[in-house]
Structures are given as structure tokens and as C-alpha cells.
Amino acid sequence: MQKSCVITTKAPNWAPDPSDPCAWLRGTATLEGGRHSPQILRLDDAEAVGEQVAEWLLASRLADPNLPLGLATGRTMEPVYAALARQFAQRSAAERQRVRQQWCSFNLDEYVGLAPRDPRSFAATMASQLVTPLQLEAQSVLLPRGDGGDPDAEALRYASLLASKGGLGLQILGIGANGHVGFNEPPCGPEVVCRCVALTASTRDANAFAFGGDPDQVPDQAISLGLSEILNARRILLVATGRAKAEVLRRAFEESPTADLPASWLQGHPDVTVVADAAALGG
Ligand code: GLP
């Protein structure tokens, strides 16, 4: 990809000046829209959360196929994709065919150094949890390529491809224990775009479950859509389950946005819904 033809993705115009992240605190007049509190849907457990998110995912594909879906991986998403497969199977043959024909999704991230067929890659995760159960065209479920050898060039390619599709419609997000979304590790501001990122030790620990429990086997880099692409999505569903996410979820929406908690920049988006179980909401 010639750098000259890269489409630059700018942060939304309500984002604070990255050189002055405290602009949020002062509520300066230059900020349009300011901070937003999310809609919060509290459900009993992870299974109920999975069913609800799957229902909205399927509805969005059928109702608004024009913009790509933004998808995530992780343990939080496993019940979502399992419910999606169940709900999809109950749809009519015509609806299933329409969903397949209209499917276009971009995953948030992929580990650097893993080929799509590596069972530990997010591409392999999506193949087993989504592509196969829904019998989707593999090329309609898009992720960065982790094995290309030039992650910076791949990040630019992926961002440009997303921009060429008009950006994200509905973005599904999980949240990391350190407040990351995608692999946007702290510290980072709302203006960061798709890029190759270094993974923190805590994130490698948290993701070691997919690498035989050994954090040293977790790649130390990933390609991730940035907060800029995420915040340009038309609508965001943040999905959180389990007591372990309660504190970071509370901080993300109760404290002032800060680079130290990347999920807190979601306060600047006008249409965020948190779908969480009672445990993640401190219940
Ligand atoms: C990884 C993924 C994120 C995900 C996070 C939480 O870092 N890149 O997209 O939200 O883990 O994962 P889990 O749902 O397993 O807690």
C-alpha cells in the first residue's frame, strides 16, 4: 500500500485536543457534545448477555447491512457467538441466506506473528466460533493479517480497507482488565488509529489461557484498530461479564476520560450501550 494513498482517519470533532486531555474536565466550549453516559442493560448472567447481544447482532445484519460490523474476541464473546449460532439456525432459510450474502465484519485485532490457521490466532477463533457455525464466506469476516511480516504496513492497509467501506456501523467491544478496548493499551488517547501495538505484561497474562497458560507464549505485539476507528462507529455495544470486570467498568464511565484508561474515551461517543451481567455491574 503506497503511504500516499492511505486514507487518514481523524478523531471525531468532539474529541479533546490530544495535547490537552484535560479539556474534558474543563468542559471547554470547543468540545461538541461533551461527555455522554451510556445506556446500561443489566442482565442476570453471561448467558443472558450473550443472547441479547446475539439478537442485536443478527438484527443489525438484517436491518442495516450497509455498514460493516465491528467484532471482538475473548472469553466474553464466546457466549455471544454461541447464542448467535443458535439464533441463526432458528431463522428461515431466506433470512439465513440474506445474512450470509450481506455479512461484512472487521475484527478489532490480531496477534503479530500468528498465521490465520494458527489455532491461537483470532482468525482461527473467529473461524470456529462464527464462520463455520453460520457458514459464512471466510472473506466476509475480516481481520488484520498477523503473519505478513510488516505489521505497520498491514495496519495501514486494514485501516484503509475499513475506511473504504465507510467505517463501522455497530461495534461490539469487550474490555480488558487494564481498561483496554481492542488492544489499545494504556496510555492512549482517542486519536490513535489502527497500528501495531506492544502488549502489556498484564494483557499477555490475561490472554495466556489461549496459549497453554504460559504468558511467555503470548505474542508481545498485535495489530489493533485504534480508538479513532472505534469512536467513529455509529453505535457501540460494550459487553462485560463477571466480577473481575466490575472495577474497570465502573472507572471507565464514572471517572473522567483519561489516556490511562482507554475505555473511558467511550464517554465521548453519543451512542454507547453497556450490556453487562449483575456481577460486572457490582451486583
Ligand atoms: C483481549 C482482546 C479484547 C478483549 C479483552 C478482554 O485483549 N483484544 O478485545 O475485550 O481481551 O477479553 P476477555 O473477554 O477474555 O476478558
Side-chain angles (χ1 to χ4, degrees), residues 72-77 108-109 111 122 173-177 180-183 203 206-207 209 239 245:
T73 49
R75 286 156 296 190
T76 306
M77 299 302 154
L108 283 163
D109 42 24
Y111 290 113
F122 287 155
L173 286 178
I175 185 169
H180 73 243
V181 283
F183 270 134
T203 292
N207 288 281
F209 70 92
V239 187
K245 298 293 174 74

Coordinates of all heavy atoms in Angstrom, one line a residue, residues 72-77 108-109 111 122 173-177 180-183 203 206-207 209 239 245, ligand 1:
A72 N -15.3 -8.5 18.2 CA -14.2 -8.7 19.1 C -14.1 -10.1 19.4 O -14.9 -10.9 19.1 CB -14.5 -7.9 20.4
T73 N -13.0 -10.5 20.1 CA -12.8 -11.9 20.6 C -12.6 -11.8 22.1 O -12.7 -10.8 22.7 CB -11.5 -12.5 19.9 OG1 -10.5 -11.5 20.0 CG2 -11.8 -12.8 18.4
G74 N -12.3 -13.0 22.6 CA -12.1 -13.0 24.1 C -13.2 -13.9 24.7 O -14.2 -14.2 24.1
R75 N -13.0 -14.2 26.0 CA -13.9 -15.2 26.6 C -15.3 -14.5 26.8 O -16.3 -15.2 26.7 CB -13.4 -15.5 28.0 CG -12.2 -16.5 27.9 CD -11.3 -16.5 29.2 NE -10.7 -15.1 29.2 CZ -9.7 -14.9 30.1 NH1 -9.3 -15.8 30.9 NH2 -9.1 -13.7 30.1
T76 N -15.4 -13.2 26.9 CA -16.7 -12.6 27.0 C -17.5 -12.8 25.8 O -18.8 -12.9 25.8 CB -16.5 -11.1 27.2 OG1 -15.7 -10.8 28.3 CG2 -17.8 -10.4 27.4
M77 N -16.9 -12.9 24.6 CA -17.6 -13.1 23.3 C -18.0 -14.5 23.1 O -18.9 -14.7 22.2 CB -16.7 -12.5 22.2 CG -16.4 -11.1 22.3 SD -17.9 -10.0 22.4 CE -17.2 -8.7 23.3
L108 N -11.4 -6.4 15.6 CA -10.6 -5.3 16.2 C -9.1 -5.5 16.0 O -8.4 -4.6 15.8 CB -10.9 -5.2 17.7 CG -12.2 -4.5 18.1 CD1 -12.6 -4.9 19.6 CD2 -12.1 -3.0 17.9
D109 N -8.7 -6.8 16.1 CA -7.3 -7.0 16.3 C -6.8 -8.4 16.0 O -7.6 -9.3 15.7 CB -6.9 -6.7 17.8 CG -7.9 -7.3 18.8 OD1 -8.6 -8.3 18.4 OD2 -8.0 -6.8 19.9
Y111 N -3.0 -11.0 16.7 CA -1.6 -11.0 17.2 C -0.6 -11.0 16.0 O -0.8 -11.6 15.0 CB -1.4 -12.4 17.9 CG -2.2 -12.5 19.2 CD1 -3.2 -13.4 19.4 CD2 -1.8 -11.7 20.3 CE1 -3.9 -13.5 20.6 CE2 -2.5 -11.8 21.5 CZ -3.5 -12.7 21.7 OH -4.1 -12.9 22.9
F122 N -6.7 -15.0 16.4 CA -8.1 -14.5 16.5 C -8.8 -14.9 15.2 O -10.0 -15.2 15.2 CB -8.1 -13.0 16.7 CG -7.7 -12.5 18.1 CD1 -7.2 -11.3 18.3 CD2 -7.8 -13.4 19.2 CE1 -6.9 -10.8 19.5 CE2 -7.5 -12.9 20.5 CZ -7.0 -11.7 20.6
L173 N -17.7 -4.5 21.6 CA -16.4 -4.4 22.3 C -16.5 -5.2 23.6 O -17.5 -5.2 24.3 CB -16.2 -2.9 22.8 CG -15.8 -1.9 21.7 CD1 -15.7 -0.5 22.5 CD2 -14.5 -2.2 21.1
G174 N -15.3 -5.8 24.0 CA -15.1 -6.3 25.3 C -14.3 -5.2 26.0 O -14.0 -4.1 25.5
I175 N -13.8 -5.5 27.2 CA -12.9 -4.5 27.9 C -11.9 -5.3 28.7 O -12.2 -6.4 29.3 CB -13.7 -3.6 28.9 CG1 -12.8 -2.6 29.5 CG2 -14.5 -4.4 29.9 CD1 -13.6 -1.5 30.3
G176 N -10.7 -4.9 28.6 CA -9.6 -5.6 29.3 C -9.5 -5.1 30.7 O -10.0 -4.0 31.0
A177 N -8.9 -5.9 31.5 CA -8.8 -5.6 33.0 C -8.1 -4.3 33.2 O -8.3 -3.6 34.2 CB -8.1 -6.7 33.7
H180 N -8.2 -1.6 28.5 CA -8.1 -1.5 27.0 C -9.3 -2.0 26.3 O -10.1 -2.7 26.8 CB -6.8 -2.3 26.6 CG -7.0 -3.8 26.6 ND1 -6.2 -4.6 27.4 CD2 -7.8 -4.6 26.0 CE1 -6.5 -5.9 27.2 NE2 -7.5 -5.9 26.4
V181 N -9.5 -1.4 25.1 CA -10.5 -1.9 24.2 C -9.8 -2.3 22.9 O -8.9 -1.5 22.4 CB -11.6 -0.9 23.9 CG1 -12.6 -0.8 25.1 CG2 -11.1 0.5 23.7
G182 N -10.2 -3.4 22.3 CA -9.3 -4.0 21.2 C -8.0 -4.3 21.9 O -8.0 -4.9 23.0
F183 N -6.9 -3.9 21.3 CA -5.6 -3.9 22.0 C -5.0 -2.5 22.2 O -3.8 -2.3 22.1 CB -4.6 -4.8 21.2 CG -4.7 -6.3 21.6 CD1 -4.7 -7.3 20.6 CD2 -4.7 -6.7 23.0 CE1 -4.7 -8.6 21.0 CE2 -4.7 -8.0 23.3 CZ -4.7 -9.0 22.3
T203 N -1.8 -7.8 30.0 CA -2.6 -8.3 28.9 C -2.2 -9.7 28.4 O -3.0 -10.6 28.2 CB -2.6 -7.3 27.7 OG1 -3.3 -6.1 28.2 CG2 -3.3 -7.8 26.5
A206 N -3.4 -12.1 30.9 CA -4.9 -12.3 30.8 C -5.2 -13.2 29.6 O -6.3 -13.8 29.6 CB -5.6 -10.9 30.7
N207 N -4.4 -13.1 28.6 CA -4.7 -13.9 27.3 C -3.9 -15.2 27.2 O -4.0 -15.9 26.2 CB -4.4 -13.0 26.1 CG -5.5 -11.9 25.9 OD1 -6.6 -12.2 25.5 ND2 -5.2 -10.7 26.4
F209 N -4.5 -17.8 28.6 CA -5.4 -19.0 28.6 C -5.4 -19.7 27.2 O -5.6 -20.9 27.1 CB -6.9 -18.7 29.0 CG -7.6 -17.8 28.0 CD1 -8.4 -18.4 27.0 CD2 -7.5 -16.4 28.0 CE1 -9.1 -17.6 26.1 CE2 -8.2 -15.6 27.1 CZ -9.0 -16.2 26.1
V239 N -19.6 -5.0 26.0 CA -20.1 -6.2 26.7 C -19.1 -6.6 27.8 O -17.9 -6.7 27.6 CB -20.1 -7.4 25.7 CG1 -20.8 -8.6 26.3 CG2 -20.9 -7.0 24.4
K245 N -14.6 -7.7 36.0 CA -14.7 -6.5 35.2 C -15.4 -5.4 35.9 O -15.5 -4.3 35.3 CB -15.4 -6.9 33.9 CG -14.7 -7.9 33.0 CD -13.4 -7.4 32.4 CE -12.7 -8.5 31.7 NZ -13.2 -8.9 30.4
Ligands
GLP1 C1 -8.2 -9.1 24.6 C2 -9.0 -8.6 23.3 C3 -10.0 -7.6 23.7 C4 -10.9 -8.2 24.8 C5 -10.1 -8.4 26.0 C6 -11.0 -9.0 27.1 O1 -7.3 -8.1 25.0 N1 -8.0 -7.9 22.4 O2 -10.8 -7.3 22.5 O3 -12.0 -7.3 25.0 O4 -9.1 -9.3 25.7 O5 -11.1 -10.4 26.9 P1 -12.0 -11.3 27.8 O6 -13.4 -11.2 27.2 O7 -11.4 -12.7 27.6 O8 -11.9 -10.8 29.2

